[in-house]
Structures are given as structure tokens and as C-alpha cells.
Amino acid sequence: FGGCCEMSKLKVLSAAMAEIGTIESVLSISRTEVINADNTLSFSASLTDEMSEWINDTNCIGLDADYFDIAKYKKGQDDNGDLTANVDCEHVSYRLNKSDYDLEYFTETGTPTTILTAILSGTGFVVGTVEFSASTTYSIQQAMSRRGLLVQFAELLGGELLFEGFTVSILTQRGSSTAKDLMAGRNITVISKTYDKTTLDDNGNPTVSYECSLINPMALALGDVVTMAYAKLGIGVTLRIVSITTNPYNQYEVSFAVSNTVPTVEDAAYEIATSTVSKDATYNGCRIGPVNGFEAVRNDKKARAYFRSDEMKFQSGDGSGTS
């Protein structure tokens, strides 16, 4: 949502990402994005002959420079007897959840760009901007999807993911760091407040979040820093937009949530202290599985040891990981 006058319209794309047509009008639509989490698009439209051909399990939806896979659709009659298509889409980054891309474990040392490149290797996604440079070691010791790896790595760095088509960036912050006054001109029309002592911010304060919608359009983006002053609810804070839902066909429709914390799945187990890991050194990734029990594999895949109830082995490999 940028507050511009010219609205975006949905493009229908083939599986090969070739443009097929434009959806000129919709009955309803919402695009939702949450920092390091949801990135979805849902819409309904009249089921014309053209639309009936366009909405299938192989075509994609283009919105500006982004792409969404059709994840679910329903074609039928509404309560008025009109034929409609209801479509739920997921950002193409959800393809990283495919089991074909799953890794049993992952360990990589280097700059964040190097590690991100390894995470995306073989998936068709490419590295964009990475606003972090300090070398680190990132490791997971259980089977995980590439998207899970990606989200956890971004949160380990303290960064925020930006998807632009098939390009993945990790930024220090989404949105603008210059605070925007949401209450200017009494622009807030609906506010709810949630107070959560079970989740704390960086300063140890309880999480406070608000759900809002605007009376008049203003330029807002995911991650923006905003200020709010609303005496009746005891609000006088500077927060960030952590989720936003927009209507690409109508700039006046925007709702969002602001909070003093960004939800994460932080886990120190994913980072290995690198002060003692020198360049070209070898180290081990460990895992526990139903076949080999406890297993340790050297990062160059030239040695493996495992221990289970009936067997213990020390093995050498050729570096391929298959021998």
C-alpha cells in the first residue's frame, strides 16, 4: 500500500510465468503480509468463461512485481445464484515448503550472504540484498523445510525477509524508520488493544499490540514505525506495523496491526559460536533419527559416526554425502 492513485490489478500467469490476461474487476480481495510470516492473497470474482479457464491448479497470479500460486479455489453459485470463483493464493516463496527441498540437517559457516545462498541452493530462488555481513555459523539438527530454514535464519540475524518474486532479501528493517503519526486528522477509525505478559520485548516489557484501520488513505508499508496517541484507550506509543492487509483495487481499504514486538521463533540452538571456528576448519553436524540413532557428520562429508542400540560405526566418505 503506497497511497498512489493508480491501483494495481491482478495478472494471470501460466506455470511458465507468461502473462495470460488481466483481472479487471473483483467482488472482494485482500492481500496480507506479516513480517517473517504470512504472505497471502485472496479474492473472489464473477465466474465468466474466461475466468473459469484462468483459475486452475497450474496458473499463477501476478501482483506488481510479485507472484502468488493458486493454492485453493472454489467455483460455484453464491446466495444470489450468481456464478463466482473464490481463490486463495500463497506467495511463491511457499514453494520452499515442498518436501523435495527439505533438508535432514543443515550446517554452514560464512557471511550471511553465503549462508543464504546455501539455503536457497537448487530451489530456483536467488539472493537479493543482505544487510548483514558478520560471519556466523547456522545449524539445524532436524529435518526442516527450506522456508523454515530461511525464516529462522533471518530471525537469528535479527533481520526481516523481503520477497520480490523469486528474489529473497534479508533487511535490517522493513519499512520506514521515520515515525508516521497515525492519529493525524483523527485518521484511526477502529482500534483494539491486546496486552500480553507472556511475550516480552527487548527491554523486558509485555507485548502490546493494536489492530487498526484508516479513515483516509496514507502511505503505509509493512515494518513502518508509527506513533499513536489515543487517550480513551491509554495509548501514547511508538510502534511498528507488523502485519498489513490491503486491497490492490481500492487504496481506501487498508487494515493493519502495530506492536512493540515482532513475533519470532528464536532458538539459540540454531547458532554455533564461531570464535573458535577458523577458515577451512572441519566441524560436525549432529542429528538423531530412527535409522542410525545418534549421528555426527563432518561438514565436508568425508567422515561420519553413529551410535544406536545394536551398532556403532566410524566411516569415511568421498565428500558427496552419498558414499
Side-chain angles (χ1 to χ4, degrees), residues 220-241:
L220 294 177
L222 186 67
D224 279 353
V225 174
V226 297
T227 59
M228 298 172 60
Y230 199 72
K232 289 183 178 180
L233 292 179
I235 301 172
V237 291
T238 299
L239 305 167
R240 290 188 65 205
I241 296 178

Side-chain angles (χ1 to χ4, degrees), residues 253-320:
E253 292 184 22
V254 55
S255 60
F256 53 92
V258 294
S259 177
N260 59 335
T261 63
V262 176
T264 65
V265 288
E266 294 176 356
D267 191 330
Y270 299 119
E271 181 176 27
I272 299 174
T274 57
S275 59
T276 59
V277 179
S278 59
K279 184 177 180 181
D280 299 325
T282 58
Y283 50 91
N284 293 275
C286 301
R287 58 185 173 184
I288 297 175
V291 177
N292 292 326
F294 176 83
E295 184 177 15
V297 182
R298 214 166 73 168
N299 67 304
D300 59 7
K301 298 182 176 63
K302 291 187 176 180
R304 178 178 75 163
Y306 68 79
F307 175 80
R308 64 189 191 197
S309 59
D310 59 348
E311 189 172 65
M312 179 172 65
K313 288 190 176 182
F314 298 88
Q315 302 173 325
S316 62
D318 61 8
S320 69

